[in-house]
Amino acid sequence: MERLHWVRHRCRQLLAGGSGRGWYSAPDGLPGKTSLDTHSSPRRASGKQRTVFARHGPPQQGFEAVSTSYEGNAICTTKYSLLTFIPMNLFQQFHRAANLYFLFLVLLNWVPVVEAFQKEITMIPLVVVLTVIAIKDALEDYRRYLFDRKINSNVVQVFCGEQKAYVDQCWKDVRVGDFVRLSCNDIIPADMLLLYSSDPRRVCYIDTANLDGETNLKQRQVVSDLPLQGEEFTAERFHCRVECEKPNNDLCRFRGYMEHPGGVRVGLHNGNLLLRSCTIRNTETVVGMVIYAGHETKAMMNNSGPRYKRSQLEKRLNTDVLWCVLLLIIMCLTAAVGHGLWLKNLKDPVFQVDTDTSPALAGFYVFWTMIIVLQVLIPISLYVSIEIVKLGQIYFIHHDLALYNEQLDCRIQCRALNITEDLGQIQYLFSDKTGTLTENKMVFRRCSIYGVEYPHEENARRLEVYEAEKMEAAGCSVTLKLGCSGRSLSGRSLSCKHSSVSLHTVTEEEEEEEEEDQPSNHIQHRTSAFCSRMTKEVVPDPELVRKLNWFCSPMLALSDGSSGTPSSLELTYITDFFLALAICNSVVVSSPSQPRHVVPETRTPLKSLEEIKLMFQRLSFSPLSALSSLSPPQIKGSPRSFTSRLFARGKTDTFTFSTPTNSTTDGSEPGRESNQETSNLRREVHSSSRVESGGDAEQMEDRETDDYIEGARTNPEGARQEVEGLTGDVDCERATDDELLYEAESPDEAALVHAAHAYRCTLRGRSAESLLVDLPGIGSLAVQLLHILPFDSNRKKMSVVVRHPLTGQVVVYTKGADSVIMDLTETPKGSEQAREIYSLIREQTQNHLDGYAREGLRTLCIAKKVLEEEEYEVWLKGQLLAESSIEHREELLLEAAQRLETNLTLLGTTGIVDRLQEEVPDTIEALQRAGIKVWILTGDKKETAINIAYACKLLCPNDQLLTASCGSKDACAALLEELKLEVQRGVDGLTGDPGESSSGGVGGFVLVLDGRTLDWALQEEPRSDFLELSRRCKAVICCRSTPLQKSKVVRLIRDQLGVMTLAVGDGANDVSMIQVADVGVGICGQEGMQAVMSSDFAVSRFKHLRKLLLVHGHWCYSRLANMILYFIYKNVMYVNLLFWYQFFCGFSGSVMTNAWVLILFNLIFTSVPPLIYGVLDRDTAAHTLMELPELYREVQTSEVYAPYMFWITVLDAFYQSLICFFVPYFAFRGSSVSELSFGSPINASALLIVLLHQVIESHTLTWIHVLVLVLSGGSYFGFVLLFSLFCVTCSPPTNPVGVETLEMSQPLFYIVCALTTVTALLPRLLFRALYNTLHPSAVLEPARMDKVDSEKYRRKMQRWNLSRSRDNRLRLCADHPGLEPSTASVVS
């Protein structure tokens, strides 16, 4: 019935005419895809902008004027219609050179004067190929049709102008300008502008897993300054006009503005756009207006199909095919000349000869006849065979158990289907660091604030405990509880078909945590991205806790009295620092029990006014000026005004969040001091600040503080109990705090927010305009969020602009790379003492940054800036102009951000630990031993990158480090020249290339460059020195590199050195590098799926590269190379049999066999064995290739398929054809056998020689090989016997009846076949025996070890299946049928 409906649909489509369906409407710029619908082509839209009116709004004329230029929402990805299938499919198939070649031979054979066979026989190869491909294309197109019909039939609520209500419509009926209403868990049918959300904060959340694979929720907000805010959206009252950019495939960009009837324009951005295929989450109702529909949506414009790349092996094959063409022409010319000479010298022929045709013209005719006869010399069918073999190779790679991540339930993904052999020729590997070599599971390790370093020693010990637990559990099998996870995030991931959890969140610790913390009321908990136990449970530093506790309680003094109380300036820095950690991000706050990310309605009132006054008195800060008004006057020059920067402004009465209970510090140890250097700096900075303040108030504060210190000295136990009392309350409130879930876009953000939470600076809620933050000692504060300047790779920082609820000031909080932030900080205006203090803070912070980098920590600097109202208003005008611009919007926004992010005040820095992935050092060491040069391209600091390089064995103790850091182009050129000479001097004392030295051999040179130097090195003049220097180095580390620099480096090495490159990364910043490289590998990690979606292969761990390259890359290349050589040998050998016969038939183009056998010999009888050979052959066992990476160099240097191997193969084929022809010739010489009887033993011998030649060349012989060989031989003898029994007129003018039966009944036939086969194969057999004798380590030893490995693997699979059967979970074999033990054992 489905097929009947499909036929009916196509017929209706043709009758309707001009509908455009049946063709794939591709996005702009994609070749080969057109559209018949002239009214729906996106190219019809004139200009660079798109105007959208509401479909049922008042400006109907405007809507009708522009709506005809835009596509409908129906999608049609099919290529053909019912009547156009045959002509369209034939047209596309004849774009292939192979089919054109076959068509040319068919047409040539129809010319009577050059006819070689029956016309029908020469059509057989072409008809078979066209039919098989047509059936495949028809099935694929039918599946696409079913999918399109299912999508187009989805129902959505669309506003109907006639009924004044929302009615159900199919997706295909939605048009640009329609108002669409969606509910929670609905899929968005088109790209829509968000106009209404039932969320009181006017936001909604979407899951983009169907679009980009990212499983963390994204927040979208209603267009700002819309009329009717806070009311139910009414479509009839919407009179605005939307101007936006034309459809494009950029998922992260949307530019435009909405113009109100009064002429007011409101800028539109990507945060206002709901993209097709995404899912509404945690929001009851949203209403949007369709902007892009159908094939103009961003999702459809990104649907470009599988990636296509041409492998290096195919390029070399093209050269060999040209040599085969040359051989064919030479053989045909020889026959033509020979026939002409034979006719010219022929005297008194005893048989009929056409004497009317001149010898020259007859030779010309024979030339084309021989082209038909010797057609199989051109291995056109080899291209089809290669595609089939690659599919088989990908199948076994995809089902390799060693490349399966059991924890994530995902396997390797092969996205590029035609470059598997390139995995065996990689010479340069370019790797990102974070998330590729490391876990990208960021954990807060330590920090520096106000120039004082807080080592967080207890936190370090906690990480060591986690590491030890992980190592202990490494031997245990950890499986996901498939199908029973209560997490609400969708788990559309890398080949993950059963997991409902986010790739960001799956950790071993979380599984244990979920089992332990399952609530008794069976409420399913939901976790969020980057919130493992290790990330969340930050142990605060005792010294920092003590200072914050002093800030919170007026009765708390120091426990040991070693130094005075912290100054008000230092407390200002500390609180600002943690406030920035909490709010300078895009983290979405939620809780398991709240589906809309709203904080529960339990709250504790803000601290009383008297408490806040007492606290400010202790800070020498006037509480009246802070609380009297929302915009209090600031006394310029007053020392207290500097302290007042502790807070930022906002209107607390306009915030809609409830205020939950405050929390106190968890797990701290008050009284512990930091190291002596830190204490001295703190005392120095504190004393300087006190001198600066001066006055009676400070003296009274000092006397009060002295009393507290004296009390602590006389009664230390009482002070300690008081601290414990302050920190003990966290146990009773921890359940409430831990229920907060943070949806972070990056692990860095999550780590910093959890660190701030550990110090009781907790982000509790977020809306589009406000933030709810708990501050220690104050409680919950509503912070008005004015602007978010998101992170980008150019600025390398992120900023938020807020208005503080207490001081009323506009404050900019910034976090970013230290190389950027440190350059943007300024020395504050004021006294000499203040400038000295700030210089000291900068100096100490820089020292701490360098120390963090040497430890391998990721560093971020935190800074702030207080804006005057006039300054903010001026900046705001430029920002609004940039936001409402369509042209050059990104450039204007960048300029506005750079104007704001200047003259910053440095608060401190953070050090975040990111552990190496397991087996990374062993993997890099193996790759280097295999002759692959590994480069690290990272945006981190130089010291961090060097530390990681040592940890992963890229750098060894005996390596010499070359550092290049220059400030100008001339200095860079001079330094590169000097380093090149230094490397040359080092090479003179060594043998071989230093770049080839392994980690265990002689030390090599490792080059380290920063981003600025790399810019100079990539320019025209220094480029040659940089290439020569890097070529001689063992490895290169590029620090502070941007995504553009990464791609430039890969392109430079690939093009200038002519080497095979592989780029591996895990984030969006690695996409350009991955796409430029010959082979791109994406790591399915914590940074979403952009890298995976842009890659050729996707793996879950860096360690998988070892087996992917050293084993599968080696196998794929050697298999394909040997199969190509065998294919060429087979064709040349059989064609030469026909060529030798021409010397005995006057070069007339006659053959000694019937045409059916001639055509089917390559098409059927010998076609399958090469395919099995190319898929299953293993020249070396997997275990041996893993243990001896040096074997990779054999395929890396193309020794298997070197140019000379082609000619050796051709010469071997010539020799075997001579034996195969002349042994039967001398055996039957002088007899009266017919030409068909003479050809029978030749064909049989040729078949046996070809099949047994493959047996000799094969390194693996299984029952599959034997079965295929037997079937191939049996099919030939069965066919010729039946042919000779029943076919009388099948091959005119010859009569094959009884020929084969007569020949096979005579002993001479078998003697000739045996003698011919042995004589032809004897040299090849002797050569193989001699080669194996001289190279036992490459063949015999692996063969011996393979038997041991097979037994080990069999026992491993038995234990694995036994452990799986004990669990109440599905076996892997049941979930993935391809992972059967019998099948997997073939590839592993």
Side-chain angles (χ1 to χ4, degrees):
M1 288 301 295
E2 288 291 342
R3 291 177 174 79
L4 181 60
H5 289 313
W6 183 57
V7 173
R8 185 183 306 167
H9 168 82
R10 292 304 182 204
C11 292
R12 289 176 180 174
Q13 171 184 316
L14 290 172
L15 292 176
S19 63
R21 299 180 186 177
W23 295 73
Y24 178 75
S25 180
D28 294 345
L30 287 182
K33 299 176 182 178
T34 56
S35 176
L36 289 176
D37 187 0
T38 57
H39 296 286
S40 63
S41 173
R43 302 179 188 274
R44 289 276 315 250
S46 59
K48 298 182 179 180
Q49 299 179 190
R50 156 174 292 208
T51 303
V52 179
F53 293 95
R55 186 177 185 184
H56 301 288
Q60 281 299 306
Q61 293 181 351
F63 171 78
E64 293 174 358
V66 300
S67 61
T68 56
S69 302
Y70 306 142
E71 283 199 7
N73 201 43
I75 64 169
C76 186
T77 59
T78 56
K79 296 180 181 179
Y80 315 106
S81 65
L82 186 64
L83 296 182
T84 61
F85 173 75
I86 293 179
M88 280 281 297
N89 188 262
L90 289 177
F91 177 76
Q92 291 187 354
Q93 289 203 54
F94 280 119
H95 275 74
R96 300 171 182 168
N99 294 335
L100 285 177
Y101 175 73
F102 283 125
L103 180 62
F104 169 74
L105 294 177
V106 169
L107 297 178
L108 188 64
N109 195 62
W110 281 66
V111 179
V113 293
V114 297
E115 180 182 358
F117 311 118
Q118 289 177 265
K119 299 178 177 62
E120 299 80 6
I121 295 179
T122 54
M123 295 176 61
I124 291 176
L126 181 63
V127 171
V128 169
V129 171
L130 294 180
T131 303
V132 171
I133 296 179
I135 293 174
K136 176 184 72 70
D137 291 343
L139 293 176
E140 291 178 354
D141 205 56
Y142 179 66
R143 283 195 297 266
R144 284 193 290 265
Y145 159 75
L146 294 179
F147 178 77
D148 292 346
R149 191 179 67 172
K150 178 181 177 181
I151 295 298
N152 291 330
S153 300
N154 288 339
V155 176
V156 68
Q157 288 190 325
V158 180
F159 182 78
C160 179
E162 291 77 11
Q163 303 181 23
K164 306 296 182 183
Y166 289 92
V167 297
D168 289 342
Q169 286 188 8
C170 293
W171 279 24
K172 63 182 179 181
D173 298 324
V174 175
R175 295 292 181 269
V176 173
D178 276 339
F179 294 107
V180 177
R181 184 169 66 185
L182 300 171
S183 302
C184 187
N185 297 326
D186 283 349
I187 300 178
I188 302 171
D191 292 351
M192 308 189 313
L193 197 63
L194 181 59
L195 302 178
Y196 169 77
S197 173
S198 59
D199 192 297
R201 300 162 295 166
R202 304 174 63 247
V203 299
C204 79
Y205 298 93
I206 61 173
D207 179 356
T208 62
N210 291 336
L211 190 62
D212 59 10
E214 294 191 15
T215 53
N216 55 315
L217 300 185
K218 309 292 192 307
Q219 179 177 284
R220 296 292 182 262
Q221 61 189 57
V222 176
V223 177
S224 59
D225 297 332
L226 264 183
L228 313 175
Q229 293 186 14
E231 303 178 13
E232 182 70 28
F233 180 80
T234 306
E236 299 95 326
R237 300 170 63 182
F238 183 84
H239 301 160
C240 303
R241 175 174 63 94
V242 174
E243 291 281 346
C244 61
E245 59 187 354
K246 291 182 65 177
N248 58 74
N249 61 354
D250 192 342
L251 298 175
C252 302
R253 189 188 75 180
F254 176 67
R255 301 181 296 189
Y257 63 85
M258 178 182 290
E259 185 174 311
H260 297 297
V264 179
R265 292 184 177 182
V266 178
L268 304 176
H269 52 82
N270 195 52
N272 304 132
L273 194 66
L274 302 179
L275 298 179
R276 179 188 174 109
S277 300
C278 298
T279 306
I280 301 295
R281 300 290 189 195
N282 299 345
T283 310
E284 294 177 1
T285 305
V286 299
V287 176
M289 183 172 70
V290 176
I291 302 296
Y292 307 121
H295 290 284
E296 293 181 340
T297 58
K298 294 181 181 292
M300 293 302 298
M301 297 188 79
N302 274 278
N303 186 17
S304 57
R307 295 167 55 82
Y308 180 82
K309 287 185 177 181
R310 179 177 294 179
S311 67
Q312 295 293 329
L313 192 66
E314 285 188 31
K315 296 177 183 178
R316 185 168 298 170
L317 172 62
N318 293 336
T319 303
D320 291 344
V321 170
L322 293 178
W323 284 116
C324 291
V325 172
L326 181 61
L327 283 177
L328 175 64
I329 294 175
I330 292 175
M331 296 170 73
C332 293
L333 285 176
T334 302
V337 173
H339 183 67
L341 294 176
W342 181 77
L343 281 179
K344 184 178 180 180
N345 299 326
L346 186 63
K347 304 295 182 181
D348 302 325
V350 296
F351 41 82
Q352 184 178 0
V353 177
D354 184 9
T355 57
D356 297 334
T357 306
S358 66
L361 183 59
F364 176 77
Y365 290 156
V366 167
F367 175 85
W368 294 107
T369 302
M370 292 301 296
I371 289 287
I372 301 173
V373 172
L374 306 180
Q375 58 180 286
V376 294
L377 180 61
I378 310 300
I380 298 298
S381 57
L382 176 58
Y383 289 97
V384 180
S385 302
I386 287 176
E387 296 301 321
I388 297 174
V389 167
K390 287 182 179 180
L391 289 177
Q393 292 176 348
I394 287 173
Y395 174 83
F396 286 112
I397 293 175
H398 190 61
H399 292 84
D400 188 350
L401 187 62
L403 303 180
Y404 168 72
N405 191 322
E406 189 176 12
Q407 187 178 359
L408 299 181
D409 190 28
C410 62
R411 300 171 288 183
I412 182 175
Q413 186 178 13
C414 304
R415 300 176 56 85
L417 306 181
N418 51 343
I419 58 171
T420 54
E421 66 272 26
D422 280 350
L423 294 172
Q425 290 194 288
I426 302 301
Q427 296 167 278
Y428 279 75
L429 187 147
F430 301 90
S431 174
D432 179 39
K433 184 187 76 67
T434 304
T436 304
L437 301 177
T438 62
E439 295 275 6
N440 203 14
K441 295 178 181 177
M442 309 299 180
V443 182
F444 182 83
R445 173 61 183 84
R446 57 202 306 172
C447 66
S448 170
I449 312 172
Y450 191 64
V452 180
E453 208 272 334
Y454 301 97
H456 290 73
E457 296 173 357
E458 289 295 331
N459 199 43
R461 283 191 282 271
R462 173 186 70 94
L463 297 181
E464 293 175 359
V465 171
Y466 277 124
E467 188 70 26
E469 291 176 354
K470 182 178 180 180
M471 295 300 294
E472 291 176 2
C476 304
S477 176
V478 181
T479 56
L480 289 176
K481 297 179 284 296
L482 303 181
C484 61
S485 174
R487 304 169 186 176
S488 68
L489 299 181
S490 63
R492 295 289 302 275
S493 61
L494 172 67
S495 300
C496 302
K497 299 184 179 179
H498 304 283
S499 176
S500 63
V501 296
S502 165
L503 283 177
H504 302 289
T505 62
V506 180
T507 60
E508 187 174 327
E509 296 91 338
E510 289 172 24
E511 295 174 12
E512 299 169 357
E513 186 177 6
E514 184 177 357
E515 294 175 359
E516 296 171 359
D517 299 339
Q518 188 70 20
S520 58
N521 58 359
H522 302 288
I523 296 177
Q524 291 181 330
H525 277 244
R526 175 174 56 82
T527 187
S528 59
F530 322 118
C531 63
S532 63
R533 257 177 55 204
M534 188 169 58
T535 303
K536 292 191 294 185
E537 296 180 358
V538 177
V539 180
D541 186 84
E543 175 67 10
L544 196 50
V545 169
R546 183 186 64 80
K547 294 178 181 179
L548 285 174
N549 283 339
W550 183 91
F551 177 80
C552 300
S553 173
M555 299 303 296
L556 181 63
L558 297 175
S559 60
D560 59 357
S562 61
S563 62
T565 57
S567 68
S568 59
L569 182 58
E570 182 178 4
L571 288 178
T572 298
Y573 271 64
I574 292 174
T575 312
D576 267 329
F577 178 85
F578 286 110
L579 182 61
L581 295 189
I583 69 175
C584 188
N585 51 64
S586 58
V587 171
V588 176
V589 187
S590 63
S591 60
S593 58
Q594 294 293 330
R596 291 169 50 207
H597 288 226
V598 176
V599 180
E601 293 294 334
T602 58
R603 61 173 293 166
T604 298
L606 196 68
K607 280 187 176 290
S608 67
L609 182 62
E610 292 300 324
E611 292 180 59
I612 296 178
K613 285 182 179 180
L614 179 59
M615 177 184 64
F616 285 152
Q617 286 175 355
R618 296 172 56 251
L619 285 174
S620 304
F621 181 76
S622 173
L624 297 177
S625 64
L627 300 176
S628 59
S629 66
L630 292 175
S631 299
Q634 299 299 320
I635 304 174
K636 296 187 178 181
S638 171
R640 297 178 179 83
S641 64
F642 190 60
T643 311
S644 66
R645 301 181 197 176
L646 174 61
F647 302 111
R649 158 193 172 221
K651 296 182 179 181
T652 57
D653 56 343
T654 62
F655 195 80
T656 59
F657 275 114
S658 58
T659 309
T661 307
N662 299 336
S663 63
T664 54
T665 307
D666 174 29
S668 61
E669 295 185 13
R672 183 183 297 273
E673 288 293 319
S674 58
N675 54 53
Q676 186 63 33
E677 177 186 355
T678 301
S679 300
N680 294 338
L681 172 66
R682 181 178 53 77
R683 285 197 293 270
E684 181 178 353
V685 174
H686 172 60
S687 60
S688 301
S689 177
R690 289 163 60 96
V691 170
E692 178 194 1
S693 299
D696 296 336
E698 284 73 10
Q699 295 176 5
M700 293 175 61
E701 180 186 347
D702 294 341
R703 289 195 296 270
E704 184 180 349
T705 303
D706 292 339
D707 293 339
Y708 294 154
I709 297 174
E710 186 63 29
R713 288 173 177 172
T714 56
N715 187 12
E717 289 298 325
R720 186 177 297 109
Q721 291 173 3
E722 189 172 349
V723 176
E724 292 173 355
L726 286 171
T727 59
D729 294 338
V730 73
D731 294 332
C732 62
E733 297 179 1
R734 177 165 182 154
T736 302
D737 289 339
D738 283 353
E739 288 180 356
L740 290 177
L741 301 178
Y742 293 133
E743 297 278 351
E745 292 187 0
S746 70
D748 297 83
E749 284 191 345
L752 296 180
V753 172
H754 286 300
H757 174 66
Y759 285 97
R760 294 171 293 163
C761 190
T762 305
L763 177 64
R764 290 199 170 273
R766 172 185 293 274
S767 72
E769 299 175 351
S770 304
L771 299 167
L772 184 64
V773 182
D774 277 2
L775 290 180
I778 298 178
S780 296
L781 290 177
V783 181
Q784 184 180 353
L785 180 61
L786 301 178
H787 298 279
I788 295 180
L789 307 181
F791 177 87
D792 64 63
S793 58
N794 295 319
R795 292 167 40 243
K796 295 185 180 180
K797 54 185 175 295
M798 173 190 181
S799 298
V800 293
V801 185
V802 298
R803 190 179 292 276
H804 207 284
L806 297 179
T807 66
Q809 291 176 310
V810 178
V811 183
V812 182
Y813 289 102
T814 303
K815 69 176 181 183
D818 58 288
S819 60
V820 176
I821 299 295
M822 297 297 283
D823 293 338
L824 296 176
T825 56
E826 66 160 354
T827 301
K829 299 178 181 179
S831 64
E832 183 69 25
Q833 190 99 25
R835 290 196 295 269
E836 182 180 348
I837 292 173
Y838 193 74
S839 298
L840 184 61
I841 292 174
R842 277 177 53 91
E843 179 184 350
Q844 291 300 325
T845 302
Q846 185 62 57
N847 293 336
H848 298 152
L849 281 169
D850 296 339
Y852 294 171
R854 284 190 292 271
E855 294 180 21
L857 302 180
R858 289 172 57 86
T859 56
L860 281 176
C861 282
I862 313 297
K864 65 173 285 189
K865 178 182 182 180
V866 179
L867 295 178
E868 299 292 341
E869 288 295 330
E870 297 80 5
E871 184 182 1
Y872 172 67
E873 293 296 334
V874 172
W875 175 83
L876 182 60
K877 291 180 181 178
Q879 177 72 10
L880 294 178
L881 176 63
E883 291 178 352
S884 60
S885 299
I886 298 179
E887 297 297 326
H888 308 292
R889 185 172 187 266
E890 285 74 18
E891 292 82 355
L892 293 174
L893 287 175
L894 178 60
E895 291 176 4
Q898 290 174 343
R899 285 197 303 269
L900 183 68
E901 296 165 335
T902 56
N903 300 328
L904 302 175
T905 299
L906 179 64
L907 298 176
T909 183
T910 61
I912 300 175
V913 63
D914 187 13
R915 299 175 302 172
L916 276 181
Q917 295 181 17
E918 69 276 10
E919 300 182 30
V920 167
D922 296 337
T923 301
I924 290 182
E925 183 182 16
L927 294 177
Q928 288 183 326
R929 289 173 57 191
I932 300 175
K933 291 189 177 182
V934 181
W935 288 31
I936 293 181
L937 310 179
T938 178
D940 284 341
K941 286 173 63 68
K942 177 182 65 177
E943 293 82 2
T944 304
I946 292 175
N947 181 280
I948 294 296
Y950 274 113
C952 65
K953 292 186 179 180
L954 182 65
L955 272 173
C956 301
N958 54 351
D959 289 333
Q960 185 173 347
L961 204 61
L962 307 176
T963 304
S965 180
C966 307
S968 66
K969 181 179 179 180
D970 295 336
C972 176
L975 181 59
L976 291 177
E977 181 67 27
E978 180 183 348
L979 293 177
K980 189 174 69 171
L981 294 176
E982 181 178 350
V983 172
Q984 183 61 44
R985 288 193 296 269
V987 173
D988 292 339
L990 300 173
T991 57
D993 189 348
E996 302 294 331
S997 61
S998 64
S999 58
V1002 180
F1005 295 92
V1006 177
L1007 178 63
V1008 181
L1009 301 92
D1010 58 16
R1012 186 167 49 181
T1013 307
L1014 186 59
D1015 261 337
W1016 301 123
L1018 292 175
Q1019 294 189 9
E1020 191 66 32
E1021 289 110 8
R1023 182 184 301 172
S1024 58
D1025 289 337
F1026 172 64
L1027 282 171
E1028 182 65 21
L1029 176 61
S1030 60
R1031 188 184 65 82
R1032 294 177 176 272
C1033 288
K1034 169 187 172 183
V1036 177
I1037 303 172
C1038 299
C1039 313
R1040 297 299 192 191
S1041 53
T1042 64
L1044 181 60
Q1045 287 177 331
K1046 292 181 180 181
S1047 62
K1048 286 183 177 180
V1049 168
V1050 176
R1051 181 179 286 107
L1052 177 67
I1053 298 299
R1054 183 198 65 187
D1055 297 340
Q1056 298 298 322
L1057 298 184
V1059 294
M1060 285 290 295
T1061 58
L1062 181 146
V1064 54
D1066 74 315
N1069 59 334
D1070 304 316
V1071 168
S1072 57
M1073 172 179 71
I1074 289 173
Q1075 292 178 335
V1076 167
D1078 295 297
V1079 179
V1081 178
I1083 299 289
C1084 177
Q1086 305 286 313
E1087 294 283 356
M1089 299 285 285
Q1090 295 97 325
V1092 169
M1093 296 175 69
S1094 303
S1095 64
D1096 304 310
F1097 299 89
V1099 296
S1100 58
R1101 310 297 282 176
F1102 184 83
K1103 66 177 182 179
H1104 292 158
L1105 288 179
R1106 182 177 182 180
K1107 186 167 189 182
L1108 181 63
L1109 298 182
L1110 303 186
V1111 178
H1112 289 291
H1114 180 101
W1115 283 349
C1116 290
Y1117 183 84
S1118 61
R1119 288 166 175 171
L1120 275 174
N1122 287 321
M1123 190 197 77
I1124 290 173
L1125 292 175
Y1126 175 77
F1127 224 101
I1128 294 174
Y1129 148 79
K1130 177 170 66 77
N1131 289 2
V1132 173
M1133 186 267 183
Y1134 191 74
V1135 162
N1136 272 283
L1137 298 176
L1138 307 177
F1139 180 69
W1140 303 137
Y1141 183 71
Q1142 301 306 310
F1143 288 90
F1144 301 92
C1145 67
F1147 299 97
S1148 60
S1150 302
V1151 293
M1152 68 288 189
T1153 181
N1154 68 75
W1156 287 95
V1157 173
L1158 180 65
I1159 295 297
L1160 297 181
F1161 188 87
N1162 278 288
L1163 190 64
I1164 295 178
F1165 303 145
T1166 61
S1167 60
V1168 180
L1171 302 182
I1172 302 299
Y1173 178 51
V1175 173
L1176 299 180
D1177 188 57
R1178 292 189 302 170
D1179 60 337
T1180 311
H1183 175 75
T1184 305
L1185 292 173
M1186 294 285 282
E1187 294 296 328
L1188 300 174
E1190 292 80 4
L1191 296 175
Y1192 184 80
R1193 297 172 187 256
E1194 296 180 2
V1195 295
Q1196 184 188 50
T1197 55
S1198 303
E1199 292 181 7
V1200 180
Y1201 190 32
Y1204 66 86
M1205 289 300 300
F1206 170 80
W1207 295 109
I1208 291 177
T1209 302
V1210 170
L1211 291 177
D1212 190 25
F1214 267 88
Y1215 164 77
Q1216 292 188 12
S1217 65
L1218 286 171
I1219 297 298
C1220 187
F1221 181 84
F1222 285 102
V1223 168
Y1225 172 77
F1226 288 112
F1228 292 101
R1229 186 178 183 182
S1231 65
S1232 60
V1233 295
S1234 64
E1235 59 179 4
L1236 293 182
S1237 298
F1238 171 64
S1240 176
I1242 293 178
N1243 283 328
S1245 300
L1247 179 72
L1248 294 175
I1249 291 171
V1250 167
L1251 296 180
L1252 293 178
H1253 180 95
Q1254 180 177 324
V1255 174
I1256 295 174
E1257 291 298 306
S1258 297
H1259 303 88
T1260 305
L1261 195 63
T1262 65
W1263 64 269
I1264 300 177
H1265 293 79
V1266 175
L1267 178 63
V1268 169
L1269 292 172
V1270 171
L1271 290 178
S1272 296
S1275 64
Y1276 167 78
F1277 288 104
F1279 175 81
V1280 296
L1281 285 174
L1282 292 176
F1283 196 84
S1284 65
L1285 288 175
F1286 302 104
C1287 190
V1288 179
T1289 60
C1290 297
S1291 182
T1294 59
N1295 185 2
V1297 173
V1299 173
E1300 297 293 342
T1301 54
L1302 177 63
E1303 286 297 317
M1304 293 185 186
S1305 64
Q1306 299 177 359
L1308 181 61
F1309 173 85
Y1310 300 99
I1311 295 174
V1312 169
C1313 289
L1315 180 62
T1316 302
T1317 303
V1318 172
T1319 307
L1321 294 177
L1322 188 59
R1324 170 68 59 170
L1325 192 62
L1326 292 177
F1327 170 77
R1328 279 298 168 193
L1330 182 63
Y1331 180 82
N1332 294 342
T1333 303
L1334 298 177
H1335 299 83
S1337 60
V1339 177
L1340 300 180
E1341 184 64 19
R1344 184 189 64 80
M1345 296 178 64
D1346 194 17
K1347 297 180 181 180
V1348 180
D1349 295 339
S1350 300
E1351 185 62 30
K1352 289 182 180 179
Y1353 185 82
R1354 191 176 297 108
R1355 290 197 298 268
K1356 175 184 175 183
M1357 289 298 301
Q1358 291 174 352
R1359 291 195 302 270
W1360 187 78
N1361 283 323
L1362 182 62
S1363 65
R1364 299 285 290 193
S1365 62
R1366 291 173 182 170
D1367 232 345
N1368 293 327
R1369 304 183 179 92
L1370 294 175
R1371 289 182 57 181
L1372 184 62
C1373 297
D1375 292 344
H1376 308 288
L1379 283 178
E1380 297 290 346
S1382 60
T1383 304
S1385 63
V1386 177
V1387 296
S1388 298

